[in-house]
Amino acid sequence: LRSTSGHSTYVFNCLVSWSSKRQTLTARSTFQAELIAASSASDNASWYYNLISELKFIFFPGMEVIPPIPLLIDNINALNCAN
């Protein structure tokens, strides 16, 4: 049985994308399903981070370093593994 994973991406407290889909891999536990979902969410966040980094003169004028994008996970074991 495959899990459904979903994530939403916010930039400056504004929803810019969301996704909800059936996972292509079959996870053997909730922990594995959460890691698969976190991987998909981090790919999406990475894409937005790179976009903002390229346009930092618009979003963060005068700043050299862009603040990191937090990844929020609701499973304690998956969160500990991701950190």
Side-chain angles (χ1 to χ4, degrees):
L1 187 64
R2 292 184 297 165
S3 299
T4 302
S5 55
H7 66 269
S8 55
T9 305
Y10 291 82
V11 176
F12 305 116
N13 293 325
C14 296
L15 180 67
V16 293
S17 75
W18 62 274
S19 172
S20 177
K21 62 181 180 178
R22 185 79 63 184
Q23 292 180 352
T24 56
L25 301 172
T26 303
R28 301 180 99 193
S29 66
T30 304
F31 168 72
Q32 287 179 341
E34 290 284 342
L35 285 181
I36 293 168
S39 173
S40 174
S42 68
D43 288 346
N44 192 295
S46 178
W47 188 87
Y48 278 102
Y49 186 83
N50 289 333
L51 176 66
I52 291 170
S53 294
E54 291 293 321
L55 301 173
K56 69 181 171 186
F57 61 91
I58 294 172
F59 295 111
F60 300 101
M63 288 184 70
E64 291 298 319
V65 178
I66 305 299
I69 297 175
L71 180 63
L72 306 176
I73 303 172
D74 63 355
N75 182 296
I76 266 309
N77 292 328
L79 180 62
N80 290 336
C81 182
N83 284 332

